[in-house]
Amino acid sequence: MRVLGIETSCDETGVAVHDSARGLLAHCLHSQIETHARYGGVVPELASRDHVRKLAPLIREALERAQTPRTALDGIAYTRGPGLAGALLVGAATARAMAFALDIPAVGVHHMEAHLLAPLLEADPPAFPFVALLVSGGHTMLVQVAGVGRYRLLGESLDDAAGEAFDKTAKLLGLGYPGGPAVERAARDGDPGRFRFPRPMTDRPGLDFSFSGLKTHTLNTARREGDAPQTVADIARAFQDAVIDTLAIKCRRALDETGVRRLVVAGGVGANAALRERLAEVARRRDARVHYPRIEFCTDNGAMVAHAGCLRLPGEGSRDDAFDIAPRWDLESLAPPGDAVTAPAAGASAPGAGSRG
Ligand code: KG4
Ligand code: ZN
C-alpha cells in the first residue's frame, strides 16, 4: 500500500510517500522558523497561511521524488490532531479534497502516535512492547506501548512540556527561537559546576513531570546573575542538565516498573545530543536498548504521518467528503487499527485553538 502523508499541526509543513512493502520513498519538509523567529514563538495565523502557501508545491515535489504519479496512491494520511486548529485544517482539507478527487481513502492520524511509531521507520526497529518517552513542544509523556494503538499512559507533564520549557528558557535568556537547539548550543560552553537547578518531582514516587518551576528558577537566576555570555551559558547548562536528569530518572523508573527493556524516544527534544548520551547510559545500566528516529524525524515531519497512515488506513480509511480535526486528542483513547476508534467526533473536539503537538 502506497500512502501520501501530510503533516501541518504546528510550524512545519511535511509531506512524504511511504510504501508498506518498500518503505519510505520520499519526504519533503518546509520549516517556518524564519516566519516565526521575529516573534519569538509560533504565531498560529501565520502558521496556517504558510501551510496554505507551501503544501501544494511540497506534495508535487514529494510525489515527483518518489516517482509516484498521484493515480498510483492507495490512500492519504494527514495529521488530525493534536495541534493548532487552523494549521490542522489546512492539511485535513487538502488531504480530503485530494482523496475525494482520486477516489481513494483518507485517514486522520494522531500526531503523537505518529511520533512514537517513527523509530519503526529505521533499519533496526524496536519490537513491541516498549516504553516511549515523548518529548515535544506540546507534550511530555511516558507511555507503555504494547502494540500499535495499545497505549497506557504512565506519566505526563502537569504543566509545561519539556520542549516548551526549552523554548521559554531560550526566550528569557535571549537565545532566540527555536529554543531547544539554541539552549543546547549555549549549554555546550557552560560550566556544569556553577549552578545546580532542582530536579522537579524526582523526590517522590510516580512518573509525572513538572517543568514550570524550573523555568521560574531559571528566570530568577538570570535576574540575579546578569547576562554576561559565560553566565548565560552556565545557566543554559544548569537548566539543560536539570531537564535531562529529570527525564532520565523517570525513564529509569518506567523501565523498572514495567520490566520492559526497550525505550523509544521521540519528539523534538529527542534531537538533543546530551539527552541521548544520558539515556544511553541509563539503558546500559539496565541492560536495555534505546531507539530513536533519525534526527530529522525527531521533530515534525511528513514521513511519520505517511508511516502511521500505512498502519491505520487498511482498517480505518474512509472516503468521507466531510473532514474533521481534533486539536485536543487523548493518545490513550486510540484503539488498535481497525478496532472502534474513540477519537472525539467532529465538532466535539475542542473549543479554542488547540495546542501544540
Ligand atoms: O516534535 P516537535 O518538532 O514539535 C511538536 O510537536 O511540538 O518538537 C518541537 C520542540 C520544540 O519545543 C523545540 O525547542 C524542541 O522540540 N527541540 C529541542 C531540540 N530540538 C528541538 N529541545 C532540546 N534540544 C534540541 N536539540
Ligand atoms: Zn510533534
Side-chain angles (χ1 to χ4, degrees):
M1 149 163 270
R2 194 166 289 196
V3 173
L4 178 76
I6 295 175
E7 156 62 34
T8 64
S9 70
C10 190
D11 57 352
E12 255 114 24
T13 318
V15 180
V17 181
H18 188 267
D19 185 293
S20 8
R22 293 179 49 205
L24 186 64
L25 300 181
H27 71 97
C28 303
L29 189 79
H30 168 72
S31 163
Q32 301 182 352
I33 285 178
E34 277 176 30
T35 307
H36 303 292
R38 81 186 87 143
Y39 304 101
V42 179
V43 183
E45 177 60 22
L46 295 184
S48 313
R49 288 188 214 173
D50 203 52
H51 288 307
V52 170
R53 267 192 298 270
K54 294 294 169 9
L55 186 52
L58 271 188
I59 291 174
R60 220 169 287 131
E61 191 186 329
L63 288 172
E64 251 167 49
R65 282 207 222 160
Q67 299 188 333
T68 299
R70 59 191 68 187
T71 49
L73 290 172
D74 298 303
I76 302 184
Y78 59 94
T79 302
R80 180 170 178 258
L84 301 169
L88 291 167
L89 277 170
V90 178
T94 306
R96 285 286 172 191
M98 202 172 152
F100 182 72
L102 294 169
D103 196 21
I104 54 175
V107 70
V109 308
H110 192 290
H111 182 79
M112 298 314 291
E113 175 176 66
H115 268 305
L116 82 81
L117 296 174
L120 300 180
L121 282 162
E122 302 307 326
D124 182 19
F128 298 111
F130 55 75
V131 167
L133 171 70
L134 297 176
V135 270
S136 70
H139 294 88
T140 301
M141 295 192 260
L142 272 165
V143 186
Q144 186 168 2
V145 180
V148 177
R150 298 173 62 202
Y151 309 129
R152 186 165 78 87
L153 187 68
L154 301 170
E156 65 184 330
S157 178
L158 305 178
D159 41 55
D160 292 355
E164 190 180 358
F166 268 96
D167 292 335
K168 288 178 176 170
T169 294
K171 203 168 179 177
L172 69 88
L173 291 179
L175 294 171
Y177 161 92
V183 170
E184 183 175 15
R185 259 192 316 276
R188 270 186 218 130
D189 299 323
D191 171 2
R194 178 155 169 211
F195 304 111
R196 184 180 162 84
F197 287 8
R199 274 61 173 153
M201 296 184 71
T202 53
D203 55 350
R204 64 194 95 162
L207 293 168
D208 286 333
F209 303 89
S210 165
F211 292 111
S212 75
L214 196 52
K215 183 189 61 198
T216 312
H217 194 93
T218 309
L219 179 63
N220 292 339
T221 310
R223 283 201 179 130
R224 193 181 63 235
E225 303 288 336
D227 60 358
Q230 189 57 50
T231 299
V232 169
D234 294 344
I235 295 174
R237 177 64 190 253
F239 165 81
Q240 180 174 276
D241 283 353
V243 173
I244 289 176
D245 215 26
T246 305
L247 293 173
I249 290 168
K250 301 279 169 152
C251 283
R252 195 171 61 210
R253 254 184 224 173
L255 292 176
D256 288 348
E257 283 180 19
T258 58
V260 170
R261 283 293 166 264
R262 274 177 293 270
L263 177 67
V264 156
V265 184
V269 183
N272 187 289
L275 174 68
R276 286 175 172 238
E277 256 173 52
R278 183 80 166 78
L279 291 178
E281 190 187 308
V282 168
R284 215 173 23 247
R285 292 205 181 149
R286 289 286 179 286
D287 213 11
R289 270 201 66 187
V290 198
H291 294 262
Y292 299 93
R294 70 198 81 166
I295 295 272
E296 62 187 322
F297 294 164
C298 279
T299 44
D300 291 348
N301 65 86
M304 65 182 193
V305 177
H307 169 254
C310 268
L311 299 171
R312 291 253 170 218
L313 259 161
E316 289 164 30
S318 73
R319 287 165 205 261
D320 297 348
D321 53 1
F323 61 90
D324 65 325
I325 55 163
R328 293 170 205 277
W329 187 2
D330 182 6
L331 180 71
E332 262 192 315
S333 72
L334 296 185
D339 287 9
V341 181
T342 53
S349 41
S355 59
R356 293 184 61 180

